[in-house]
Amino acid sequence: MADEEPTSIWMQPERHERSGPGRRPGYSREQITRTAVQIADAEGLEAATMRRIACELGTGAMSLYRYVPRRDDLSDLMIDLVMGEIELPGSPSGDWRSDLTLLARQIRAAGLRHPWLIALLTGRPTLGPHLLRVHEFALGAFDGIGLDIDDITGFVGMLNDFIHSAIRREIGWLEEARRTGLDPERWKRDYMGPYVREVVESGAFPLFSRSVLDSRTAHLAPDDRFRHGLDRILDAIAALIPSLRSR
């Protein structure tokens, strides 16, 4: 008989086990997931194996598969637990730009707290309840301003692409700083600086040289760089909205 097709973890009822005399206490998906998140935050996603989680909980790995059957299920649960940290109003305010700025900054903060999150989010689709809440808020920010659903989903996708890319780049800088022991500014100045000066002095790459010497954004602090990029994305959306309404 063919293997049964896997079912989304969100369609699988949670096990509830009561402890009794002489029995081990039962576990929960949330307990297992929180332990996985703590391990991934401290040691990286690869360390958050069922064996390691079971060790932290003082049980055997096989007992946890009754609660979380597959590795993909654990990934979905980890994503959704972290998305639950994002604090949003119950509904959009009506100021789409303000709402999306709030959302973007919250996602960035979660991504920096949990450096493994963006790799999981962009690696496979998942639709847990907390992620759906966040996505519904993003879609709702554009609702009621005269856009069709294709335009709304396109703008939300474009915004997500920027947020995820910016977080990945920032995490890359932080990981490089940990690996080399140099903060980003020292890395630019001490490690790359001599070579960059040689390139600039060669005159072979004039636009690159201008981007190094004259660009204000190239030297922004991470928070300011993120906000600058976010503002440019939102500016582009604002510029498109009137023409899309009038189609």
Side-chain angles (χ1 to χ4, degrees):
M1 188 171 66
D3 292 339
E4 186 176 346
E5 287 293 323
T7 303
S8 168
I9 190 67
W10 311 115
M11 298 178 68
Q12 300 174 37
E14 168 120 36
R15 291 181 65 95
H16 294 283
E17 297 181 349
R18 295 181 179 177
S19 58
R23 293 184 59 191
R24 287 178 179 268
Y27 298 99
S28 69
R29 284 179 185 167
E30 182 174 355
Q31 184 181 14
I32 293 165
T33 306
R34 287 195 181 281
T35 302
V37 167
Q38 290 166 4
I39 294 169
D41 287 349
E43 303 175 35
L45 186 62
E46 296 78 11
T49 64
M50 277 300 196
R51 184 181 298 275
R52 175 63 188 284
I53 296 166
C55 181
E56 292 292 322
L57 293 174
T59 188
M62 292 307 296
S63 67
L64 300 186
Y65 284 108
R66 292 181 295 169
Y67 302 88
V68 183
R70 302 182 304 137
R71 176 70 194 194
D72 284 349
D73 295 332
L74 180 62
S75 296
D76 288 351
L77 290 165
M78 291 172 70
I79 290 169
D80 212 58
L81 184 70
V82 170
M83 296 304 284
E85 298 174 4
I86 295 176
E87 298 179 0
L88 297 170
S91 60
S93 68
D95 180 344
W96 65 267
R97 186 167 186 135
S98 175
D99 288 335
L100 294 174
T101 297
L102 170 66
L103 177 59
R105 293 177 73 86
Q106 289 264 348
I107 294 173
R108 174 176 176 259
L112 295 179
R113 284 194 302 270
H114 308 283
W116 47 269
L117 173 65
I118 299 304
L120 280 186
L121 266 179
T122 56
R124 57 192 299 273
T126 181
L127 293 173
H130 287 305
L131 190 145
L132 283 170
R133 173 182 62 87
V134 170
H135 191 58
E136 186 76 6
F137 183 87
L139 295 170
F142 288 115
D143 193 30
I145 64 171
L147 300 177
D148 66 31
I149 194 63
D150 287 331
D151 294 327
I152 291 172
T153 55
F155 284 152
V156 171
M158 184 168 66
L159 183 64
N160 280 333
D161 286 347
F162 164 74
I163 296 169
H164 295 167
S165 175
I167 295 169
R168 290 180 81 117
R169 184 168 56 250
E170 191 168 348
I171 289 171
W173 275 108
L174 294 172
E175 290 177 347
E176 183 68 11
R178 282 192 291 269
R179 187 184 69 81
T180 63
L182 299 174
D183 63 53
E185 289 308 312
R186 284 188 60 204
W187 186 87
K188 291 177 187 176
R189 183 185 68 241
D190 300 340
Y191 181 72
M192 289 299 295
Y195 174 64
V196 170
R197 283 193 295 273
E198 186 175 296
V199 170
V200 170
E201 290 168 1
S202 75
F205 302 97
L207 291 176
F208 170 78
S209 298
R210 284 177 58 194
S211 74
V212 170
L213 299 174
D214 302 331
S215 172
R216 181 182 63 86
T217 58
H219 304 288
L220 291 174
D223 284 355
D224 295 330
R225 187 181 304 116
F226 180 82
R227 183 56 188 261
H228 181 271
L230 176 62
D231 283 343
R232 298 293 81 75
I233 293 291
L234 298 179
D235 288 345
I237 292 172
L240 285 169
I241 287 175
S243 62
L244 296 173
R245 284 172 171 159
S246 63
R247 285 184 310 189

